[in-house]
């Protein structure tokens, strides 16, 4: 249709595009109702250390749609971002993850398990973000020093000084910070040095082909060295095979996450896996 109109024609109304926009608006409306009905829940994916012990869990949002089943973030996070729903959705995921963290701290014999929650730039930039996190921690009784917030470099594009200020305020309560999807954004090494981070997550796009693409191998090696020299932990995401795991270990990576160690799973399943792992003697 667009082609038939000729390439030099300026079209103010494209019916295809309008249909797409309408579909997104409709999905946004459905999502708000679904959020109010409690259809969103975090799944948890294990993070392991060099000894193979589970040291953390990343909370990953899932939509339990009664009609379509379990829906993955790729299907709803972009729309949530466009409609601003990400602020309330993110708050609900943080709340649920903190409840779960408090439960694990109480019921499962593990003194160190941390929970990582993804925070979108919009959510982080909300004027009340810091106080909302504090309120959530108080209400749920989650130990702040075992909560980890995963942020991305996109958050720095807006107001870096304010971002650093907020991170500092939360760090004073013991909250940790990870830089997610590292290597795919725009931030300079100057900012990386200034951010009060604890962990850098090596993006799975580099990890996936690390054994076959020499460029990815160089990038991964460099990120691990960079993390070490800045005193940060490097964690590799998307670790799917033993061979990749071994390469990363030999390169100095100390923390891992990926299907090799477990899929994201509902809280009850993760709790069972955790209990089982704890009942086994340490290797
Ligand atoms: P992310 O934070 O980088 O999360 C890692 C993604 O990699 C997750 O996808 C996880 O399921 C997937 N993954 C884990 N292990 C492997 C593996 O071995 N191989 C491969 N190929 N993938 C693996 P998921 O759950 O679909 O989430 C996608 C993205 O959606 C997340 O990327 C994050 O950016 C966003 N997201 C998820 N939950 C939330 C949330 O509660 N709030 C916000 N703001 N974003 C979220
Ligand atoms: Mg993440
Ligand atoms: Mg990531
Ligand atoms: Mg991501």
């Amino acid at each position: 249709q667009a082609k038939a109109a000729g390439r030099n024609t300026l079209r103010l109304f494209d019916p295809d595009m309008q249909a797409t926009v309408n579909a997104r608006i409709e999905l946004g409306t459905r999502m708000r109702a679904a959020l109010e009905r409690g259809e969103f829940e975090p799944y948890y994916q294990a993070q392991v250390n060099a000894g193979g012990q589970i040291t953390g869990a990343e909370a990953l949002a899932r939509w339990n749609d009664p009609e379509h089943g379990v829906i993955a973030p790729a299907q709803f996070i972009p729309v949530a971002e466009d409609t601003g729903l990400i602020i309330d959705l993110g708050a609900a995921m943080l709340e649920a993850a903190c409840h779960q963290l408090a439960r694990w701290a109480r019921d499962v014999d593990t003194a160190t398990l941390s929970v990582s929650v993804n925070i979108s730039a919009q959510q982080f930039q909300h004027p009340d973000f810091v106080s909302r996190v504090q309120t959530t921690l108080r209400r749920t009784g989650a130990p702040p020093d075992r909560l980890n917030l995963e942020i991305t470099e996109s958050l720095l594009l807006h107001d870096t000084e304010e971002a650093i200020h907020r991170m500092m305020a939360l760090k004073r309560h013991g909250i940790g910070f990870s830089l997610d999807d590292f290597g795919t954004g725009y931030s300079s090494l100057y900012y990386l040095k200034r951010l009060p981070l604890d962990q850098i997550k090596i993006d799975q796009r580099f990890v996936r082909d690390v054994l076959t693409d020499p460029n990815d191998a160089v990038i991964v090696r460099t990120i691990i060295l960079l993390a070490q020299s800045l005193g940060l932990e490097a964690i590799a995401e998307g670790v799917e095979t033993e061979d990749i795991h071994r390469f990363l270990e030999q390169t100095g990576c100390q923390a891992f996450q990926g299907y090799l160690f477990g899929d994201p799973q509902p809280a009850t399943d993760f709790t069972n896996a955790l209990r089982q792992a704890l009942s086994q003697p340490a290797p």
Side-chain angles (χ1 to χ4, degrees):
Q1 244 170 342
K3 237 182 221 149
R7 74 157 63 133
N8 294 321
T9 311
L10 176 66
R11 297 191 58 165
L12 294 177
F13 179 79
D14 178 332
D16 290 349
M17 205 188 279
Q18 189 60 47
T20 309
V21 169
N22 287 345
R24 283 171 89 85
I25 291 171
E26 199 208 297
L27 181 57
T29 309
R30 276 213 300 133
M31 279 173 58
R32 167 138 327 258
L35 182 62
E36 273 152 25
R37 285 193 300 267
E39 288 174 14
F40 288 89
E41 86 176 298
Y43 274 32
Y44 296 89
Q45 186 179 33
Q47 300 175 326
V48 305
N49 65 14
Q53 281 129 339
I54 301 174
T55 54
E58 178 175 5
L60 294 157
R62 295 291 183 269
W63 179 3
N64 297 309
D65 186 284
E67 217 179 303
H68 301 100
V70 179
I71 304 174
Q75 307 291 317
F76 59 82
I77 293 282
V79 178
E81 293 276 3
D82 287 355
T83 56
L85 185 70
I86 192 70
I87 293 173
D88 288 342
L89 175 59
M93 291 306 101
L94 180 69
E95 176 95 20
C98 284
H99 263 299
Q100 191 55 59
L101 173 56
R103 233 171 280 144
W104 280 328
R106 197 184 56 221
D107 300 341
V108 186
D109 179 27
T110 165
T112 52
L113 184 91
S114 64
V115 170
S116 291
V117 181
N118 292 284
I119 303 293
S120 101
Q122 277 189 70
Q123 190 186 354
F124 185 91
Q125 279 151 5
H126 189 282
D128 294 337
F129 179 67
V130 171
S131 66
R132 282 181 182 183
V133 173
Q134 287 167 342
T135 307
T136 303
L137 284 167
R138 255 198 311 275
R139 195 168 43 227
T140 57
D145 60 341
R146 287 164 61 178
L147 176 65
N148 194 52
L149 302 182
E150 295 196 4
I151 57 172
T152 61
E153 291 156 272
S154 63
L155 179 151
L156 299 171
L157 296 176
H158 181 62
D159 183 345
T160 309
E161 295 310 316
E162 176 62 18
I164 293 172
H165 183 76
R166 286 180 185 207
M167 287 173 75
M168 296 279 202
L170 290 164
K171 273 203 89 72
R172 276 196 290 277
H173 293 270
I175 294 163
F177 282 96
S178 298
L179 194 56
D180 207 351
D181 306 334
F182 185 71
T184 62
Y186 311 92
S187 75
S188 68
L189 296 179
Y190 169 73
Y191 284 124
L192 186 64
K193 199 188 75 180
R194 290 195 57 212
L195 292 181
L197 292 168
D198 301 277
Q199 187 184 60
I200 295 177
K201 299 194 85 171
I202 307 169
D203 193 87
Q204 54 189 10
R205 277 164 278 190
F206 303 124
V207 173
R208 190 173 49 213
D209 301 323
V210 77
L211 298 178
T212 49
D213 185 334
N215 292 326
D216 286 350
V218 168
I219 291 169
V220 166
R221 224 182 268 282
T222 306
I223 295 174
I224 292 168
L225 279 173
L226 182 67
Q228 282 170 350
S229 57
L230 290 170
L232 307 174
E233 179 178 72
I235 179 168
E237 40 178 32
V239 182
E240 293 185 7
T241 69
E242 268 305 344
D243 288 348
I244 291 176
H245 180 216
R246 202 169 311 114
F247 171 89
L248 291 165
E249 235 170 4
Q250 284 162 359
T251 312
C253 191
Q254 306 270 21
F256 313 89
Q257 186 181 342
Y259 298 154
L260 181 63
F261 308 101
D263 296 351
Q265 36 184 346
T268 46
D269 296 346
F270 189 87
T271 306
N272 290 337
L274 199 58
R275 285 218 169 90
Q276 194 162 0
L278 284 166
S279 69
Q280 253 131 58

